[in-house]
RNA sequence: AGGGGUGUAGCUCAGCGGUAGAGCAUCGGUUUCCAAAACCGACGGCCGGGGGUUCGAUCCCCUCCGCCCCUGCCA
């Protein structure tokens, strides 16, 4: 709460300062004049995996606990419907993702936690950004080209405009930092382009040029069946992934059946260069134990997988099963989850509303 | 909008009047330090929807819907 009050004050300061910047088109853009604030959005598309946990959730918790930035975490349901969604699944997935956040250690009082559609400022700023972004920029997005492909005629307009809404998600909070994986780097670039163009076109220094927070190398969790492919909720084999909702038995079984090779674990990391499946298990162990992959090898060099796997399975069960249990406990009280989301949205709006209001004023909307 | 093509297992496709098959994928077993590979086995389909012809339709006819390609039209 303290954070929130502080940030509101800062927002107003930023807003006011903006007028004095207006005549000075040359002003150097810097994030230093903005409240340090992390925003991250995750699509509630269902099926939280170990990859999501180690690659995103766990880091979100670390950022929250570091206390150096305000942290805003958002379930982007408006993005989810750029592709067809079953309404019941969408609602369920949103609540389950919320449960996942909390079970993983996100404190809804420390962080701002909500679903996107409950903060209408996202969509409102999104429209303005639709008018800032250029068709050409969007057409160049590799994710658009990948997802729409040759069926672009079939894709929704929303899928095309997606990156502009994402820019709004970030900038409606004047977020200074966004954790990004490889796949989102280009979208963040576009967010920066939109902020810069807006600032330039209106002669203001209103939106920050958001910085990426690059994710660590070891956080890429690969498929348990094919160490060269990313662990994915859409893989046809459920044995290829560990779901956050898996039981202890399921987790143990999946690790036991994970693909490996016949060699023992090496002493040095470069011994894993040509062994993606082995490297993946070592990386997973390291991430779960919160040690480096080299430290894993220090402890287990020479081990065959017949002995390493049970140790890894025990560790995974110890770390993950409680999260899954807590998720299902939370899911039993839907009203409580909805209450948390509503409260998060309220706090989100307290930050976003003044920024949107100032944006509208800059653009020339009569208030 | 007109012409052509197409719609069968999760995917790629075969069948074409007697209520369906292959490969791959998935799952299980044997094997193996655990896995992989190999072998064995299992699961799996209102054959796009509706109507009609027929003793009987995935197969023929009508109609609707979806998708692909070509041509055209509108802005």
């Amino acid at each position: 709460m303290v954070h929130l009050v502080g940030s509101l004050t800062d927002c107003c300061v930023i807003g006011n300062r903006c007028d004095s910047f207006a005549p000075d088109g040359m002003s150097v853009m810097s994030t230093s004049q903005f409240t340090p604030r992390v925003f991250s959005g995750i699509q509630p598309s269902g099926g939280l995996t170990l990859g999501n946990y180690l690659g995103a959730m766990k880091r979100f918790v670390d950022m929250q606990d570091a206390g150096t930035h305000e942290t805003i975490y958002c379930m982007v349901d408006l993005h989810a419907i750029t592709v067809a969604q079953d309404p019941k699944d969408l609602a369920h997935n949103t609540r389950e993702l919320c449960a996942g956040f909390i079970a993983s250690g996100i404190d809804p009082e420390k962080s701002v936690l909500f679903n996107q559609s409950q903060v209408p400022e996202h969509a409102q700023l999104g429209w303005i950004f639709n008018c800032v972004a250029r068709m050409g920029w969007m057409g160049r997005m590799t994710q658009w080209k990948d997802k729409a492909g040759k069926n672009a005629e079939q894709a929704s307009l929303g899928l095309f405009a997606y990156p502009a809404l994402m820019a709004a998600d970030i900038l409606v909070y004047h977020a200074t930092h966004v954790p990004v994986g490889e796949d989102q780097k280009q979208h963040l670039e576009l967010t920066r382009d939109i902020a810069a163009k807006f600032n330039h076109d209106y002669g203001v220094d209103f939106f920050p040029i958001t910085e990426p927070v690059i994710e660590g190398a070891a956080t890429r969790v690969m498929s348990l069946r094919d160490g060269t492919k990313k662990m994915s909720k859409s893989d046809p084999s459920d044995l290829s992934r560990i779901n956050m909702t898996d039981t202890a038995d399921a987790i143990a079984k999946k690790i036991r059946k994970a693909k490996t090779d016949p060699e023992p674990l090496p002493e040095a990391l470069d011994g894993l260069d040509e062994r993606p499946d082995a490297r993946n298990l070592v990386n997973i162990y390291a991430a779960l134990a919160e040690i480096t992959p080299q430290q894993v090898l220090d402890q287990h060099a020479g081990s065959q997988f017949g002995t390493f796997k049970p140790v890894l399975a025990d560790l995974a069960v110890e770390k993950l099963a409680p999260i899954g249990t807590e998720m299902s406990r939370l899911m039993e009280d839907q009203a409580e989850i909805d209450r948390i989301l509503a409260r998060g949205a309220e706090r989100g709006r307290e930050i976003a509303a003044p920024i949107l209001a100032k944006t509208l004023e800059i653009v020339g909307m009569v208030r």
Side-chain angles (χ1 to χ4, degrees), chain A residues 12 52 69 138 157 188 192 253 263 295 325 339 355:
Chain A
C12 298
N52 301 129
H69 292 67
M138 305 311 226
L157 184 55
L188 183 62
R192 293 160 60 93
K253 176 186 178 185
E263 301 300 320
Q295 286 173 301
T325 306
R339 195 193 63 74
I355 292 175

Side-chain angles (χ1 to χ4, degrees), chain A residues 42-43 45-61 97 100-101 104 183 215 219-222 230-234 241-244 320:
Chain A
I42 293 196
Q43 272 202 46
S45 45
L48 261 190
T49 69
L50 176 64
N52 301 129
Y53 174 67
L54 293 177
M57 309 293 259
K58 207 155 171 291
R59 299 171 59 221
F60 293 172
V61 173
L97 180 55
F101 267 112
S104 299
D183 54 332
E215 75 182 21
T219 47
R220 254 174 91 82
V221 179
M222 310 307 281
K230 205 166 127 183
M231 183 179 285
S232 159
K233 63 161 191 181
S234 53
R241 63 181 155 265
I242 292 174
N243 307 108
M244 294 311 289
L320 302 177

Side-chain angles (χ1 to χ4, degrees), chain A residues 69-304:
Chain A
H69 292 67
E70 291 180 22
T71 44
I72 302 177
Y73 299 123
C74 179
M75 283 135 266
V76 289
D77 46 11
L78 295 174
H79 286 286
I81 61 165
T82 55
V83 163
Q85 296 290 328
D86 181 282
K88 290 177 74 169
D89 291 345
L90 180 59
H92 175 266
N93 292 340
T94 301
R95 294 188 176 107
E96 189 172 77
L97 180 55
C98 180
F101 267 112
I102 294 169
S104 299
I106 294 298
D107 178 342
E109 289 306 315
K110 282 194 202 166
S111 294
V112 182
L113 183 67
F114 62 97
N115 58 310
Q116 186 186 25
S117 59
Q118 290 206 75
V119 178
E121 284 78 5
H122 287 246
Q124 290 174 273
L125 185 61
W127 174 258
I128 292 173
F129 286 172
N130 280 345
C131 302
V132 172
R134 310 285 88 168
M135 297 285 287
W137 300 2
M138 305 311 226
R140 255 173 258 132
M141 294 292 112
T142 54
Q143 244 184 58
W144 160 254
K145 288 190 277 191
D146 289 349
K147 282 182 126 175
K150 67 195 291 274
N151 295 329
E153 294 276 322
Q154 237 51 50
S156 73
L157 184 55
L159 187 66
F160 187 70
Y162 186 118
L165 179 58
M166 177 171 153
D169 297 333
I170 294 164
L171 294 174
V172 83
Y173 300 102
H174 276 179
T176 55
H177 296 82
V178 172
V180 283
E182 196 55 39
D183 54 332
Q184 288 300 315
K185 263 174 69 180
Q186 195 185 25
H187 286 165
L188 183 62
E189 265 318 304
L190 188 104
T191 299
R192 293 160 60 93
D193 288 345
I194 287 175
K197 182 166 167 58
F198 182 97
N199 287 343
H200 175 268
D201 287 357
Y202 292 100
V204 295
D205 193 7
F206 183 62
F207 287 113
I209 308 301
T210 306
E211 296 292 334
V213 181
I214 307 301
E215 75 182 21
T219 47
R220 254 174 91 82
V221 179
M222 310 307 281
S223 162
L224 297 179
R225 306 302 296 269
D226 180 350
T228 64
K229 290 196 304 195
K230 205 166 127 183
M231 183 179 285
S232 159
K233 63 161 191 181
S234 53
D235 191 291
S237 172
D238 193 56
L239 293 177
S240 74
R241 63 181 155 265
I242 292 174
N243 307 108
M244 294 311 289
T245 49
D246 280 343
T247 62
D249 283 350
I251 293 169
K253 176 186 178 185
K254 287 174 178 182
I255 288 173
R256 175 162 41 83
K257 304 214 68 163
K259 189 177 173 193
T260 64
D261 57 48
E263 301 300 320
L265 288 174
E267 289 180 12
L269 274 180
D270 58 15
L272 295 171
D273 284 351
E274 305 297 318
R275 301 170 62 189
D277 301 297
R279 186 176 53 215
N280 188 35
L281 295 184
V282 169
N283 284 344
I284 289 172
Y285 189 108
L288 288 172
E290 303 193 70
I291 60 179
T292 66
Q294 181 58 58
Q295 286 173 301
V296 176
L297 294 185
D298 291 345
Q299 294 168 20
H300 297 281
S303 282
Q304 303 266 44

